[in-house]
Amino acid sequence: MIGVDTAPKRDSTAIAITRRDESGTHHLRVLHMRADPETGYLDYSELEDTLRALCRRYEVDRILVDPYNMVRSMLELSDEGLPVEEMPQTDSRMVPASMAFFELLNEGRIRHGGARELREQAANAGKRTSERGWRFQKTRSAGVIDGIVAAAIAVYEAERGFDEEAPPLLVI
């Protein structure tokens, strides 16, 4: 399972890859991409090439992306046969993803190899409460949390795939 959190300008982008083992532990790897320092824009062709390479290297069931910044990339990758799916970052989707990720983290069911950048992003992550529950949000304007967001998406959807009792995701 791959979750992607993109930022088209003056920010960073993250690709989270997770594999759930037979004990229910998620083995997580997060790749980070930065906007070009001169133009301030993300190189979407580099992002697309990275996703292609990951699909060649791993058995990827789904690539979940927010269509807001990725429509052209989604169409191109889908036309090539990659399993790209929309995952809009709405409260109806990100509240359960954030809460499930936090719960799995507390249960010790997420391993990330001690990745320093991901730990730093966790320190930047706060929560925003809505009527649906809470979801991750930046605590500082300069803080980056794209790795946490991408990881929450990937882990939540991978977990749902193993839980036959999981309620259907409601989109309102």
Side-chain angles (χ1 to χ4, degrees):
M1 188 74 58
I2 293 178
V4 182
D5 182 33
T6 62
K9 190 172 183 184
R10 301 199 196 312
D11 203 347
S12 64
T13 291
I15 302 169
I17 307 113
T18 189
R19 179 186 60 81
R20 185 179 187 267
D21 68 19
E22 57 281 343
S23 73
T25 299
H26 292 268
H27 299 271
L28 186 63
R29 179 177 171 211
V30 179
L31 307 173
H32 298 276
M33 302 177 77
R34 305 275 184 243
D36 181 283
E38 290 183 26
T39 66
Y41 290 102
L42 175 67
D43 181 350
Y44 279 93
S45 63
E46 182 182 347
L47 173 61
E48 293 162 8
D49 287 345
T50 300
L51 292 171
R52 287 180 188 105
L54 290 170
C55 286
R56 284 190 302 269
R57 182 171 183 184
Y58 301 106
E59 184 177 319
V60 176
D61 295 330
R62 297 163 67 200
I63 302 170
L64 301 155
V65 299
D66 187 344
Y68 176 71
N69 296 319
M70 295 254 322
V71 171
R72 191 205 65 81
S73 296
M74 289 175 60
L75 292 171
E76 175 138 344
L77 295 171
S78 182
D79 285 348
E80 294 173 19
L82 274 67
V84 179
E85 294 181 25
E86 289 187 19
M87 174 73 173
Q89 291 186 17
T90 59
D91 281 351
S92 63
R93 292 176 181 260
M94 292 308 299
V95 165
S98 297
M99 293 172 66
F101 184 81
F102 186 74
E103 182 178 321
L104 291 167
L105 202 58
N106 283 331
E107 292 173 3
R109 292 180 47 210
I110 296 178
R111 300 280 185 261
H112 59 76
R116 180 186 55 78
E117 191 166 14
L118 196 58
R119 287 194 323 255
E120 289 172 1
Q121 289 190 20
N124 292 334
K127 65 181 185 178
R128 180 175 58 83
T129 304
S130 75
E131 60 190 36
R132 295 180 183 276
W134 66 267
R135 65 184 279 179
F136 292 119
Q137 129 177 333
K138 290 181 187 182
T139 56
R140 302 172 306 173
S141 63
V144 174
I145 67 166
D146 57 312
I148 296 297
V149 171
I153 291 167
V155 167
Y156 174 67
E157 288 297 318
E159 189 71 10
R160 283 173 31 92
F162 278 89
D163 186 358
E164 293 184 23
E165 301 279 325
L169 187 60
L170 299 176
V171 180
I172 297 175

